[in-house]
Amino acid sequence: MSDNQPQPKSQEEAVPTTFKAKLKQYLVKLKLLIVDPNESDLTKSISVAVGVFISIIPLWGFQTIVAVATSFLLKLNKPLVIAASYFSVPPMTPFVLYFSVIFGGLFVSKPVAFSLSSINLDVLQAALFQYVVGSVALAVVVASTFGLATSLLLKVRRR
């Protein structure tokens, strides 16, 4: 080495040279970011619950933006909120839509009744309000469930 380049002070400060070492170092940093030991279990649980809530309510295409903004405003764990906001990925979307409409039927005065075989655009337009109400109610229930489950998992992990 030339005299102009600073020498690493210890083995820990040495820069990993292989892809595997770099990946491992990145994953360790990511784990510390997500499972921050300085954050309370309550903050982590609320972060998951908020992310799941945002993923279910009808914010089509804006979930990530709303998740980031909410995590900053509420001082939550940003990676956990963002990760949980991907709960309604495409394979889950039909189930979220269906159960939102069904769940919304419990809260509206004239619920739209239909079956999976009779769904078309007219039925969906008639059920839009029912869907919005149901998606918010479903989001509260599912987010609460995921938040409580996260809290329980973190408590079990500490033992």
Side-chain angles (χ1 to χ4, degrees):
M1 285 184 132
S2 78
D3 292 333
N4 294 342
Q5 294 178 348
Q7 298 280 334
K9 294 178 183 169
S10 69
Q11 289 285 51
E12 295 171 2
E13 291 180 16
V15 178
T17 56
T18 66
F19 174 75
K20 187 176 178 180
K22 287 179 182 179
L23 180 63
K24 185 176 179 180
Q25 186 181 43
Y26 174 75
L27 290 175
V28 167
K29 286 181 182 179
L30 183 63
K31 179 184 173 191
L32 286 174
L33 183 64
I34 293 173
V35 189
D36 185 358
N38 298 323
E39 268 183 343
S40 70
D41 288 351
L42 180 63
T43 300
K44 293 172 189 172
S45 300
I46 291 173
S47 298
V48 170
V50 166
V52 170
F53 179 83
I54 289 170
S55 76
I56 295 176
I57 59 173
L59 297 172
W60 308 291
F62 296 103
Q63 281 100 342
T64 305
I65 294 168
V66 173
V68 170
T70 304
S71 66
F72 274 102
L73 287 173
L74 299 178
K75 295 178 178 36
L76 298 174
N77 184 311
K78 286 121 188 94
L80 282 178
V81 173
I82 293 167
S85 74
Y86 286 103
F87 175 77
S88 63
V89 292
M92 292 291 294
T93 302
F95 298 106
V96 170
L97 293 173
Y98 179 74
F99 287 112
S100 293
V101 173
I102 298 301
F103 208 58
L106 302 172
F107 298 100
V108 296
S109 58
K110 292 183 180 181
V112 176
F114 61 90
S115 65
L116 286 176
S117 61
S118 68
I119 294 178
N120 60 32
L121 191 57
D122 294 331
V123 172
L124 292 177
Q125 285 176 339
L128 183 62
F129 179 71
Q130 181 175 328
Y131 160 70
V132 171
V133 170
S135 67
V136 173
L138 182 68
V140 168
V141 170
V142 174
S144 299
T145 303
F146 272 79
L148 289 172
T150 302
S151 179
L152 289 174
L153 285 172
L154 290 171
K155 285 183 195 291
V156 167
R157 190 180 129 247
R158 290 202 188 272
R159 290 184 184 176

